[in-house]
Amino acid sequence: IMSCGNDFVETLKKIGYPKADELNGEDFDWLFESLEDKSFLEWFCGNVNEQHVVSEKELQDFDSLLKSGKPVLEGNALDEVLKTLKPVDSKNSSQEEEEKEEELKKLEDELQTLQKLKKLQVHRHNKLQMMISANSHMLQTLKNKDEEAHKDLKEGLQVFTAANNKLNNELLSLMDAAKKLASFFTASDSEQGSGPHPVFFSQLSLDKYLSQEEQNTAALTSYIKKHFYQGMSELVENSHEGSFQLADISKQVTCDEADEVCEESQEIARLQTAYICAQHQLIQMQAKEESMNSAIKCAESMLQSLNNKDIGKQENLDAKISSLNDKISTIKQEITQINNEELLPLLKEKARLLSAPVVKGYLECQIAQQDYYTSRQDEICRHLIRQKTSFELIELACEMELKKHKEICCQLENLVESLKQSSNELQQRLQVITEQTQHAKPRNTISSNDGFSCR
């Protein structure tokens, strides 16, 4: 089709059409897009030549004939007149006859060609009418679909615009919240001191708490020095600053206390021994005294009896003395047995019973002291437990906040990854749309609905 216009212009140049050089063949391509127009162009370019062009002289004669007012035969009337003409001579007539026959043959061929062309044009016209009706129906359907698509597009655009506005508002609020959250983390100490109250527990200053705990520890050390033995105060002073461990005072027995208890036991043992010895000596002296008094009484009675009675009774007296000596030896054996077997255990038991109140008082004093220490230990334990509890509570709060911060950090990282993925997908969509827009070509085919053919 692109070369049909050039062939048409070349044919016009060949038959001598004026200003044919100024014509451009591409301007006539749109006239020969259909098959019928192309067939006509092929016939025109193949059959028209210089003989079919009317000369200037013939045009002038025809104009003068028209000006003279004489009738001009055309069409069938001209054919009938030409048939009645007779040739001037045989040679010219035969030649003219041949030319007429050739021309008639050509005209018949041309008539058949034109009839075929007419049938083809009618067929094509009918086909085009059917195509036009089908295209009109399709165009109407497409218009309806186009209107529905435009309606759906408009509704979708409204929904998308509303969703986009909502998403923009949410993103703006999220940006504000993220900036506010970032300001909490990036705020300096001076800004925190001059600004609002801290939001996180880790932002709180522990100087006041630490100073208070140091004062409590110093007061506790002074209290222990005042109410407990020296070893306990040294244990508290030498303990680690950050450790809060309860000590068992019962295990912290010093050498002085052990020496003191040993000395007290030895003193009680010495007192018991001295009491036993003293009581033993006292009993021995009392026995000797009783024996001496008995001997004196016996001697006095014997002297009196000697003075009052007869000497004849001397034999009975000797027998009585011998029996008394036997009794004395028996009594001495019993006294020796009592001294060796019964007196010492009895004295030991009496010494124990004598020292029992002293030991009881000492033990009661020790128990009272231990109760005092125990009560003070309970107070110290409660204080240390309070300190340890407060410290562990602060540590637990920091650990909980750290765990929460880690969870928030993980969620923020996931959000950043999701936003990055969404941004990459959006960039890919925009890139695809841009490429399709750049590679889109305008439509070159001009149809009858474009209105361009009316020029």
Side-chain angles (χ1 to χ4, degrees):
I1 296 174
M2 296 301 292
S3 61
C4 292
N6 295 327
D7 294 339
F8 179 71
V9 173
E10 291 296 330
T11 304
L12 293 178
K13 290 181 180 179
K14 184 171 61 176
I15 62 177
Y17 182 77
K19 298 182 180 181
D21 297 333
E22 298 178 0
L23 298 177
N24 188 5
E26 295 179 355
D27 295 338
F28 298 93
D29 290 338
W30 62 274
L31 293 174
F32 306 106
E33 289 182 354
S34 62
L35 185 61
E36 296 85 352
D37 298 335
K38 187 176 180 181
S39 300
F40 170 74
L41 178 65
E42 291 177 355
W43 173 83
F44 180 79
C45 296
N47 297 320
V48 176
N49 50 30
E50 294 85 352
Q51 295 178 359
H52 297 87
V53 178
V54 181
S55 63
E56 290 293 334
K57 184 177 183 303
E58 291 175 347
L59 288 174
Q60 291 176 1
D61 294 340
F62 183 73
D63 292 336
S64 60
L65 181 62
L66 292 175
K67 290 179 180 179
S68 63
K70 295 179 179 181
V72 178
L73 298 176
E74 294 179 356
N76 295 329
L78 181 60
D79 293 334
E80 292 295 333
V81 172
L82 290 175
K83 289 179 181 180
T84 58
L85 292 177
K86 293 181 179 180
V88 179
D89 52 5
S90 60
K91 183 178 181 179
N92 292 333
S93 62
S94 61
Q95 185 177 358
E96 289 179 0
E97 190 68 27
E98 290 177 359
E99 289 179 358
K100 287 180 181 182
E101 290 179 357
E102 291 179 359
E103 186 176 358
L104 182 61
K105 187 177 181 180
K106 288 182 180 179
L107 290 175
E108 289 178 354
D109 294 337
E110 184 179 356
L111 179 61
Q112 292 178 359
T113 303
L114 290 175
Q115 287 178 353
K116 292 179 180 179
L117 183 61
K118 181 180 178 182
K119 291 179 180 179
L120 183 61
Q121 291 286 354
V122 171
H123 176 70
R124 290 177 179 176
H125 180 268
N126 295 330
K127 189 176 181 180
L128 287 175
Q129 289 292 334
M130 294 176 64
M131 291 176 65
I132 288 172
S133 61
N135 289 332
S136 299
H137 179 69
M138 186 181 295
L139 181 61
Q140 185 66 31
T141 305
L142 290 176
K143 284 183 179 179
N144 296 331
K145 291 182 178 180
D146 190 19
E147 290 177 358
E148 292 179 358
H150 278 293
K151 184 178 179 180
D152 295 337
L153 179 62
K154 187 176 180 181
E155 293 177 356
L157 185 61
Q158 292 177 356
V159 174
F160 177 75
T161 305
N164 190 19
N165 294 330
K166 183 178 180 181
L167 181 60
N168 289 333
N169 295 329
E170 291 179 354
L171 288 176
L172 290 175
S173 61
L174 180 62
M175 289 176 62
D176 296 335
K179 289 180 181 179
K180 188 175 181 181
L181 181 62
S183 65
F184 292 152
F185 286 102
T186 58
S188 61
D189 295 336
S190 61
E191 292 177 353
Q192 290 180 0
S194 61
H197 296 287
V199 178
F200 301 105
F201 184 79
S202 58
Q203 294 177 334
L204 295 175
S205 177
L206 300 179
D207 295 338
K208 186 176 180 181
Y209 164 75
L210 295 175
S211 63
Q212 185 67 31
E213 292 298 324
E214 289 177 358
Q215 293 177 5
N216 293 335
T217 305
L220 180 63
T221 305
S222 176
Y223 182 81
I224 292 173
K225 286 182 179 179
K226 183 178 180 181
H227 294 86
F228 288 88
Y229 51 88
Q230 186 66 26
M232 184 64 186
S233 62
E234 292 178 356
L235 178 65
V236 175
E237 288 178 354
N238 296 328
S239 63
H240 191 268
E241 183 179 358
S243 64
F244 296 93
Q245 296 182 356
L246 302 179
D248 189 1
I249 299 180
S250 62
K251 297 181 181 179
Q252 306 296 332
V253 180
T254 61
C255 295
D256 295 338
E257 287 183 341
D259 295 339
E260 184 179 355
V261 172
C262 184
E263 185 178 354
E264 290 174 354
S265 300
Q266 291 176 0
E267 184 66 24
I268 292 173
R270 285 196 299 270
L271 290 174
Q272 290 178 354
T273 303
Y275 177 77
I276 292 171
C277 293
Q279 289 295 322
H280 187 270
Q281 291 177 3
L282 178 62
I283 291 170
Q284 295 296 328
M285 292 300 293
Q286 288 178 353
K288 288 180 180 180
E289 184 180 359
E290 289 293 332
S291 65
M292 290 298 293
N293 290 331
S294 299
I296 291 170
K297 289 180 179 180
C298 183
E300 288 179 351
S301 64
M302 288 179 67
L303 288 174
Q304 289 178 1
S305 65
L306 287 174
N307 292 327
N308 296 326
K309 296 180 179 179
D310 294 332
I311 301 174
K313 296 181 179 179
Q314 186 68 31
E315 294 177 359
N316 294 327
L317 184 62
D318 292 334
K320 190 176 181 180
I321 289 171
S322 62
S323 64
L324 289 174
N325 286 330
D326 293 335
K327 290 180 178 180
I328 288 171
S329 61
T330 303
I331 291 171
K332 284 183 178 179
Q333 290 177 358
E334 292 178 356
I335 291 172
T336 303
Q337 184 180 1
I338 290 171
N339 287 331
N340 293 331
E341 295 179 2
E342 296 180 3
L343 182 60
L344 187 60
L346 291 173
L347 290 175
K348 288 182 179 180
E349 182 66 23
K350 188 176 181 181
R352 188 183 65 80
L353 294 174
L354 182 65
S355 62
V358 179
V359 176
K360 181 180 179 182
Y362 176 75
L363 292 177
E364 289 178 353
C365 181
Q366 292 293 324
I367 290 172
Q369 188 176 6
Q370 290 297 326
D371 292 339
Y372 175 77
Y373 285 160
T374 303
S375 63
R376 295 298 181 269
Q377 281 183 350
D378 292 338
E379 292 179 1
I380 294 172
C381 286
R382 286 193 295 270
H383 182 77
L384 292 176
I385 288 173
R386 186 197 63 78
Q387 283 187 323
K388 186 176 181 180
T389 303
S390 61
F391 176 77
E392 290 181 351
L393 182 62
I394 293 174
E395 186 178 8
L396 180 62
C398 292
E399 289 178 356
M400 291 176 63
E401 191 173 56
L402 178 61
K403 182 179 179 181
K404 188 178 293 184
H405 286 343
K406 288 182 179 179
E407 292 177 356
I408 294 174
C409 181
C410 183
Q411 293 176 359
L412 290 175
E413 289 178 354
N414 294 332
L415 180 61
V416 169
E417 292 296 331
S418 178
L419 291 175
K420 285 183 179 179
Q421 185 177 0
S422 300
S423 178
N424 293 332
E425 292 177 356
L426 180 60
Q427 291 296 330
Q428 291 177 2
R429 293 192 187 97
L430 292 176
Q431 185 176 1
V432 170
I433 292 172
T434 304
E435 290 178 356
Q436 291 180 355
T437 305
Q438 290 177 355
H439 292 85
K441 294 181 179 180
R443 184 167 54 88
N444 293 325
T445 304
I446 299 174
S447 64
S448 59
N449 295 325
D450 293 331
F452 181 77
S453 60
C454 298
R455 292 193 303 175

